[in-house]
């Protein structure tokens, strides 16, 4: 399985576990600031934890090499023991199609975010601006106002900011600005461009934006006045378009926001829920970032049949030894490769060659031969044959060095001994 797919599965699993805990222990509780940073942290923890490679708890004091370190020197030496499987060259493959589709969605999300920024720039240039402390307020007739982005508040010119309700709405947007909610939104949307395939991230993103509204509502309606909150909603016009990277006063989840406004703080269980996030984080760290390679389960090489570690398979001719011998006999007994009487003398030929991770034969070296013509003929025959099945270690194809020995008789050339390692 591709390392990228494994990484994505781990990211989805971690985010699902952390978000599931949030739904069970923290959702709809009044600890909005904690919830905000917890939800934002899920993105960071989910993306970074699978990249960590912590050493295993088991001590690596065994005198024997681990499975991944087994390289047979006497029988089938592995070349590049790190599993370096090389994909077969192809002009098109399903992997390329999937990659193109993934990239296309990411580009679409990036263009959408850029479009939102350009629309805000257009509103900023067209509207009248005035200062409120270090915050720039832009008057606009756009139906999506009021909303905020960093130190800008885009204000609906039909709402009187001096009225009681208008001042509450302004305080709501100023809370978004002062608490830097736009930083969360921008970072989360950038993450979604890269990791949009994770469905849990979309749920967390939506919940985080609702928590932003809880925080702003808590500040602008501090006296738990549900009627004041209702008047604020009636004062704002229903928006036609929302920019995903801005903080809007009017959003859905109105019932939840109203419940949060009128809800009394209950601290007991909230503190317990927050405390339990620490052991949860440690469990996730142990389960998804501890390395299983290098110093894992060590197996004595010589204790296994043939001296090979588990899940290690030697390179082989397709069809096995009998198919290999039949192919060689047929090739060498062909009239085109008739062994001339001039060369009729007994002899032994030994050679080494590499079977790479794709099954190709290459890098032939004659280690012993007093029959040069026949040596070249053997190499031609092996190259003319089918691809071999490459050596595998723990399911990963690797290159390996193989040996071939051929003995020739006087009357006709015949393979009487064939040893492959």
């Amino acid at each position: 399985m591709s390392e990228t797919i494994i990484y994505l599965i781990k990211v989805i699993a971690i985010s699902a576990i952390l978000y599931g805990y949030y739904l069970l222990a923290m959702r709809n509780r009044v600890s909005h600031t904690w919830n905000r940073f917890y939800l934002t942290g899920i993105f960071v923890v989910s993306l970074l934890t699978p990249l960590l490679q912590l050493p295993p708890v088991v001590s690596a004091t065994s005198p024997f090499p681990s499975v991944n370190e087994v390289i047979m020197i006497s029988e089938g030496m592995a070349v590049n023991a790190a599993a370096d499987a090389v994909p077969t060259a192809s002009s098109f493959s399903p992997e390329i199609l999937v990659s193109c589709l993934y990239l296309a969605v990411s580009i679409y999300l990036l263009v959408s975010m850029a479009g939102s920024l350009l629309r805000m720039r257009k509103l900023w240039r067209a509207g009248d601006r005035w200062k409120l402390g270090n915050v720039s307020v832009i008057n606009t007739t756009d139906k999506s106002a009021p909303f905020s982005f960093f130190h800008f508040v885009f204000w609906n010119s039909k709402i009187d900011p001096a009225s009681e309700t208008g001042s509450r709405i302004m305080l709501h947007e100023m809370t978004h600005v002062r608490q830097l909610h736009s930083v969360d939104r921008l970072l989360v949307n950038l993450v979604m461009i890269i990791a949009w395939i994770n469905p849990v991230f979309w749920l967390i993103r939506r919940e985080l934006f609702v928590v932003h509204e809880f925080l702003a509502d808590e500040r602008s309606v501090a006296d738990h006045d549900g009627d004041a909150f209702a008047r604020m909603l009636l004062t704002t016009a229903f928006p036609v378009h929302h920019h995903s990277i801005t903080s809007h006063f009017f959003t859905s989840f109105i019932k939840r926001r109203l419940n949060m406004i009128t809800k009394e703080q209950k601290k007991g269980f909230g503190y317990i829920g927050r405390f339990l996030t620490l052991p949860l984080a440690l469990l996730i760290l142990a389960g998804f970032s501890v390395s299983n390679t290098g110093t894992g389960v060590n197996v004595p090489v010589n204790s296994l049949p043939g001296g090979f570690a588990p899940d290690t398979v030697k390179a082989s001719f397709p069809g096995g030894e009998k198919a290999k011998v039949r192919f060689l006999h047929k090739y060498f007994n062909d009239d085109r490769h008739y062994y001339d009487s001039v060369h009729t003398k007994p002899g032994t030929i030994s050679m080494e060659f590499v079977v790479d991770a794709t099954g190709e034969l290459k890098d032939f070296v004659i280690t012993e031969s007093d029959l040069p013509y026949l040596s070249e003929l053997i190499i031609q025959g092996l190259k003319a044959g089918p691809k071999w099945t490459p050596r595998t270690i723990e399911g990963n194809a690797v290159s390996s060095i193989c040996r071939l020995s051929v003995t020739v008789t006087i009357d006709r050339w015949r393979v009487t001994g064939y040893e492959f390692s």
Side-chain angles (χ1 to χ4, degrees):
M1 187 180 292
S2 168
E3 290 186 3
T4 302
I5 296 177
I6 294 175
Y7 171 77
L8 288 175
I9 292 175
K10 288 183 177 181
V11 170
I12 294 173
I14 294 171
S15 58
I17 293 171
L18 292 174
Y19 186 58
Y21 178 79
Y22 170 85
L23 294 178
L24 290 174
M26 303 166 67
R27 187 175 186 264
N28 288 336
R29 300 195 178 275
V30 190
S31 52
H32 304 314
T33 301
W34 173 268
N35 289 357
R36 172 198 175 185
F37 290 112
Y38 179 88
L39 291 169
T40 307
I42 292 178
F43 290 95
V44 179
V45 173
S46 300
L47 293 172
L48 296 184
T49 300
L51 299 177
L52 300 176
Q53 290 296 315
L54 302 180
V57 178
V58 179
S59 176
T61 58
S62 171
F64 301 107
S66 65
V67 170
N68 282 349
E69 295 170 340
V70 173
I71 303 176
M72 305 309 299
I73 302 300
S74 61
E75 296 190 22
M77 293 181 293
V79 180
N80 298 329
D84 55 347
V86 181
T88 304
S90 174
S91 58
F92 176 82
S93 67
E95 290 79 6
I96 295 176
L97 176 61
V98 171
S99 299
C100 291
L101 291 175
Y102 195 101
L103 182 61
V105 175
S106 296
I107 292 174
Y108 170 77
L109 294 174
L110 179 61
V111 171
S112 297
M113 189 174 75
S116 295
L117 292 172
L118 290 175
R119 284 189 290 272
M120 277 190 289
R121 184 173 183 272
K122 183 178 179 181
L123 292 176
W124 179 80
R125 296 182 66 179
D128 297 328
R129 296 184 291 275
W130 50 283
K131 282 284 187 178
L132 185 61
N134 61 344
V135 177
S136 297
V137 181
I138 297 94
N139 280 325
T140 178
T141 58
D142 190 90
K143 292 183 178 181
S144 62
F147 62 87
S148 59
F149 183 67
F150 283 95
H151 63 282
F152 297 100
V153 172
F154 292 82
W155 187 257
N156 192 322
S157 56
K158 295 180 181 180
I159 301 175
D160 182 7
S163 65
E164 179 185 354
T165 302
S167 62
R168 287 182 182 273
I169 296 174
M170 179 63 75
L171 182 57
H172 180 102
E173 296 303 327
M174 293 293 288
T175 302
H176 285 308
V177 173
R178 289 165 181 162
Q179 295 187 1
L180 302 177
H181 293 173
S182 294
V183 174
D184 295 356
R185 287 177 171 262
L186 186 61
L187 291 177
V188 167
N189 279 283
L190 289 174
V191 169
M192 297 308 301
I193 291 173
I194 301 171
W196 60 265
I197 200 171
N198 184 355
V200 184
F201 276 178
W202 290 100
L203 298 174
I204 299 170
R205 173 181 179 268
R206 183 178 63 175
E207 183 67 18
L208 175 63
F209 294 170
V210 174
V211 170
H212 285 167
E213 298 307 314
F214 291 163
L215 286 165
D217 291 340
E218 186 179 52
R219 177 66 175 167
S220 58
V221 191
D223 51 0
H224 304 285
D225 189 348
D227 291 337
F229 179 71
R231 288 193 296 271
M232 290 166 61
L233 293 179
L234 291 174
T235 302
T236 58
F238 286 85
V240 175
H241 175 75
H242 275 180
H243 308 287
S244 63
I245 56 176
T246 57
S247 299
H248 292 261
F249 173 80
F250 190 91
T251 62
S252 56
F253 303 98
I254 297 301
K255 185 177 180 180
R256 285 185 64 193
R257 290 174 63 184
L258 183 58
N259 287 339
M260 286 297 108
I261 287 293
T262 57
K263 193 171 187 178
E264 294 295 332
Q265 177 79 21
K266 294 181 180 180
K267 298 182 179 181
F269 188 80
Y271 286 131
I272 296 174
R274 279 177 268 178
F275 175 77
L276 291 178
T277 57
L278 179 58
L280 177 63
L282 293 177
L283 287 174
I284 289 175
L285 191 64
F288 290 92
S289 65
V290 173
S291 174
N292 293 321
T293 61
T295 56
V297 179
N298 294 306
V299 181
V301 176
N302 294 331
S303 67
L304 299 166
F308 286 93
D311 298 325
T312 299
V313 181
K314 294 188 293 185
S316 62
F317 188 91
E321 294 294 319
K322 292 183 179 179
K324 174 175 57 185
V325 174
R326 283 197 302 269
F327 170 79
L328 291 173
H329 274 291
K330 182 178 179 181
Y331 183 85
F332 293 129
N333 288 326
D334 190 293
D335 290 340
R336 293 173 301 169
H337 308 133
Y338 180 72
Y339 193 51
D340 196 302
S341 59
V342 175
H343 304 93
T344 53
K345 60 180 181 179
T348 300
I349 301 172
S350 297
M351 66 176 61
E352 294 179 350
F353 55 92
V354 172
V355 180
D356 68 15
T358 66
E360 294 283 354
L361 308 187
K362 60 183 181 181
D363 300 335
F364 286 85
V365 176
I366 306 297
T367 58
E368 179 185 353
S369 175
D370 52 356
L371 303 170
Y373 169 79
L374 187 56
S375 300
E376 292 299 321
L377 191 61
I378 293 172
I379 294 175
Q380 292 174 19
L382 291 172
K383 287 183 176 180
K387 286 187 176 181
W388 288 37
T389 302
R391 177 188 177 93
T392 58
I393 298 179
E394 294 187 323
N396 298 310
V398 298
S399 299
S400 61
I401 296 177
C402 300
R403 295 187 178 90
L404 176 67
S405 179
V406 178
T407 301
V408 179
T409 58
I410 297 177
D411 56 336
R412 61 188 180 91
W413 102 251
R414 178 171 63 90
V415 178
T416 58
Y418 187 78
E419 180 184 355
F420 168 67
S421 57

